[in-house]
Amino acid sequence: MAKVAERLAGDGRLSTGQFITFEGGEGCGKSTQARLLVEALEAGGRQAILTREPGGTEGAEAIRKLLLDPSGPGWNQQSEALLFAAARADHVASLIAPSVAAGKWVVCDRFLDSTRAYQGGEGGLPDADILELHRVGSGGFMPALTLLIEVTPEVAEQRVSLRDGEERDRIGGRDAAFHAKVAARFGEIADAEPNRVVRIDGNGSAEEVHAGVLKALDSRLGVEL
Ligand code: TMP
């Protein structure tokens, strides 16, 4: 694939911005991978920002609390999807789009595909409705590349237990059947959009998975780190 044409900024940094997302189920290791990628991008001379969804801005972090606090009021499917879209609209408008336009690389831990997987799929909202909410809220803003980190249910459970013990947020705490459905839905999205989404085996060590991430950046965006 053709290399991304990157122009050198005055301070010697590479100045073409990009938007990259990490997706996957609970405990897949995507937050670690997002952080490692930002470190690699910075070491390679790019300005990079690590952010997350729901959240990333003051307003969106407030919505995150409303959505995920286990002692919170709870939401039906429609209000939940609207709140995720509202948080995303603020995040895209205030942080992601301006940063990419300013030549930064924005790496986001979860984005639209999480809504499609968690609030969509069988028994959830139609995918077309979720995409429509994204069009209204965020002008349909999409990442150049999405890295889907996939692990077995056993590895996921082990990592979540190590990280959170018995404490789970309102969505993470749903049953195994729900999380299996989410994982399957992520796989379907990846298969339907192979130009944007790369499936990465997340069962290995953080270093092994990171090597897979760097390989994907090279092959999809022509960026060697
Ligand atoms: P996190 O554990 O990766 O921080 O994600 C928070 C929870 O929110 C996780 O259980 C997945 C869920 N979620 C959705 O249900 N829909 C979304 O659109 C996003 C971004 C997250």
Side-chain angles (χ1 to χ4, degrees), residues 26 30 64 68 84 88 110 114-115 118-119 171-172:
E26 323 287 319
K30 64 185 169 30
R64 180 186 177 95
L68 299 182
F84 277 112
R88 183 162 304 128
R110 293 196 185 283
S114 280
T115 310
Y118 282 80
Q119 281 70 48
I171 295 176

Side-chain angles (χ1 to χ4, degrees), residues 192-203:
E193 297 177 53
N195 289 335
R196 174 176 65 87
V197 187
V198 180
R199 300 176 81 151
I200 292 181
D201 181 352
N203 291 299

